[in-house]
Structures are given as C-alpha cells and as structure tokens.
Amino acid sequence: MDTTITTPTLPGLELPGRARRVEAVHRGGPMHWVGDGFQVRGVFPSRSLPMERVSPFLLLDHHPRQAYPALTQGRRGVGWHPHRGFETVSLAWEGTIAHRDTAGHSGIIGPGDVQWMTAAGGILHEEYHEQEFARRGGAVRFLQLWVNLPARLKMSEPGYQPITAADIPSVELDDDAGRVRVIAGEFAGARGPARTHTPITLLDVELRARHRVRVPLPEHHNALVLVESGHAKSGSEHARDGELLVFENSGAFVELVAKDDAHLVVLAGEPIDEPIASYGPFVMNTRSELAAAVRDFELGKFGPVPA
Ligand code: MN
C-alpha cells in the first residue's frame, strides 16, 4: 500500500472559522527514571494542568533524545508490572523497545512504529530496550501516553495493536512545509490505522522552519500539542523542546508555526466525562474499584508472572 499522499494545497490553510487560542504553555516536571531504562519527563499528570483539560488522556511521559552506552550484561528497562482500566500507547522515534504481556502479546517497536496496548481488565507487562539494541547502545527518543477507557470498557478484554511505520499514512505538506503522519483520527483525507475506543486524533508532525500547518478538530475535543523538539508557536505563544501547548475548546482548528524546524505531536480527543480514581498503574472510576484492582493484583488475577 502506498501510504504517501501529496496534497495539491497546504491542507487546511483555507479553513473557515478562527484558530483555537492557546490556554496554557505547560512545562512538565523534572526528568526521572522509569525502571533503569528510560529517562523521561512527566509532562502530565501535573498539579498545574487539570485532568479534565487533558481527558481522554491520563499521562504523557516524554523521553527526549538520550544516548545510552552499550550494555555488556543484563537488561535495561522496567520489569513486570500491572495496568488496569486504560491503554498505554508508545511512539518511538529512535531506539528499539521490546514489550511482553500476560495476555500473550509481545512486540518490538523501532523508529516510526507505534504500540497501542489496551490493558482494560488487567495485564502484567515488561518494557525493555530490545536486547540487540541494548548491546550496541544508542539513542532513544519516544513517548508513552496513557489513554483512558470509558467505564463500560475498563474491565473488557485486553488488546494489542502493533502499528508499524509502514501502516501509518504520511501526508506531505505543500511548499515543502513538512509532513503529517496520521496515527489515529483523520487529517487531509488520510485516516490513521489505530482503532480507538473513543474519538481520538493522534498526529506526528514534522514542520520545517517558517512554515505552518492548520489542523481542524471538533471544537469539543480537548487539544494538546507536544513540541517534542524544536521551537513552534501558535498565535503569540511559543513552546520549545518538551513543552505542551494546551488549547481552548473554541475555534475551528489548531494553527502551528515552526520558528525552527519542529517535531510536534498533536493529541486530541473527546473528553471522557466520568470520575477518575487512580492509584499508580490502575485508573478506575471509584475507590472501591481501585481497591479491587489492588486485591486482584495481589491475588494473582492479572496472570502469573512468566518465567
Ligand atoms: Mn507499563
């Protein structure tokens, strides 16, 4: 399948209506380690960013480019741990990451690939630098996003979508402005391969310096843009490496202008208007459901830890 689409005009530049305004430029917390393998910045959750403004997303960990030395023995990553009530989505740009879970899914993602893992009723999984990659060492750059599930799906069957770079349509912007890879939702007539449980748009955007792109989004969808690297602005608000633009729910489209070459991730979705009760790797609706998750984990109901 040819996944490259060339549009005759820069998509969206003639869109009616006005641009959404930036409500906040959010900088995440300090860098921290996940296990012994991943140095990330927790962009959210954050006290300064209300959960209802980022719904249906729960968590965003950004792993900026970081080189790891060759590993002579052992593994580098995070060992078996549970999840219940939501999905974990990993996008890799550099490095190779391996996953294995107790629902029987495993996979390796490399540059351009996406792993969409639905924990739902509960899994245990491990996330490691892939062994050959770890032996060689090299740069890692990726993000992990937690996507909430509505109450009716929190205890459903776990799922797994390995999405390779070749599965993801790439829209070439006119005037050599860059390109938009459509992972979920739609952009300029291209539809992303990810199957989502609520309406979500997830775009991976390379925008060249002094160019712009407009992304139409339903007004009631929350809209966030991570400036993964580079420097971009929207209206008069600037964001650089690792900063998150949070948009008002008013206006027909998000407009992004690259000041320098910029790598951007557009995250948007219909808010899930339900209570959230979370404790570490469990995200449910009520405290009693959380207590049940902890109890079920302790009783081994998420499955035995594989040998
Ligand atoms: Mn995990």
Side-chain angles (χ1 to χ4, degrees), residues 81 83 125 127 144:
H81 60 276
H83 290 295
H125 77 161
E127 297 159 285
Q144 187 171 88

Side-chain angles (χ1 to χ4, degrees), residues 9-291:
T9 57
L10 186 52
L13 273 186
E14 305 308 321
L15 289 172
R18 69 168 184 85
R20 287 195 191 208
R21 286 214 301 259
V22 173
E23 174 177 291
V25 181
H26 176 76
R27 178 127 191 108
M31 298 291 293
H32 68 272
W33 283 92
V34 176
D36 64 0
F38 306 109
Q39 286 173 273
V40 306
R41 170 174 285 113
V43 181
F44 61 79
S46 163
R47 277 193 186 83
S48 57
L49 190 54
M51 291 189 94
E52 60 269 21
R53 298 303 299 130
V54 302
S55 177
F57 309 110
L58 296 165
L59 174 146
L60 175 59
D61 274 350
H62 174 215
H63 190 306
R65 187 173 203 280
Q66 172 68 44
Y68 292 83
L71 194 67
T72 51
Q73 60 179 353
R75 297 196 296 171
R76 187 182 270 147
V78 52
W80 293 101
H81 60 276
H83 290 295
R84 173 182 278 181
F86 60 99
E87 306 183 285
T88 68
V89 178
S90 302
L91 278 64
W93 296 291
E94 291 181 86
T96 311
I97 300 159
H99 151 104
R100 196 154 64 109
D101 71 38
T102 48
H105 309 118
S106 63
I108 292 169
I109 59 169
D113 298 338
V114 175
Q115 175 199 84
W116 201 293
M117 194 279 288
T118 306
I123 54 98
L124 304 176
H125 77 161
E126 58 169 18
E127 297 159 285
Y128 277 91
H129 292 218
E130 185 271 327
Q131 209 57 316
E132 277 302 301
F133 172 73
R135 291 278 171 271
R136 286 195 313 276
V140 172
R141 187 163 57 97
F142 80 102
L143 69 72
Q144 187 171 88
L145 180 67
W146 291 9
V147 179
N148 203 4
L149 289 169
R152 65 187 168 81
L153 294 173
K154 281 187 178 290
M155 292 301 289
S156 58
E157 285 294 306
Y160 186 76
Q161 301 175 64
I163 301 169
T164 65
D167 298 331
I168 300 171
S170 183
V171 178
E172 297 296 325
L173 301 174
D174 199 26
D175 192 28
D176 208 19
R179 58 117 183 91
V180 177
R181 295 199 315 139
V182 187
I183 297 163
E186 199 177 316
F187 177 80
R191 175 152 281 282
R195 295 183 306 279
T196 67
H197 297 279
T198 58
I200 284 170
T201 302
L202 182 55
L203 309 175
D204 182 14
V205 181
E206 296 277 3
L207 197 58
R208 286 165 52 84
R210 295 177 301 281
H211 290 78
R212 67 174 174 160
V213 65
R214 286 179 175 177
V215 180
L217 294 165
E219 203 163 32
H220 69 291
H221 285 199
N222 286 334
L224 312 165
V225 174
L226 176 72
V227 180
E228 195 281 319
S229 61
H231 177 187
K233 69 167 199 160
S234 185
S236 57
E237 300 288 347
H238 292 249
R240 296 169 180 81
D241 310 280
E243 290 179 327
L244 185 77
L245 293 162
V246 183
F247 288 87
E248 287 183 355
N249 289 76
S250 174
F253 53 85
V254 160
E255 180 169 76
L256 301 160
V257 178
K259 298 299 286 179
D260 301 323
D261 287 356
H263 179 214
L264 311 166
V265 182
V266 176
L267 312 148
E270 187 175 86
I272 297 175
D273 187 18
E274 295 175 354
I276 292 175
S278 72
Y279 177 71
F282 310 120
V283 184
M284 306 300 289
N285 300 110
T286 67
R287 291 181 63 86
S288 65
E289 288 167 349
L290 271 189

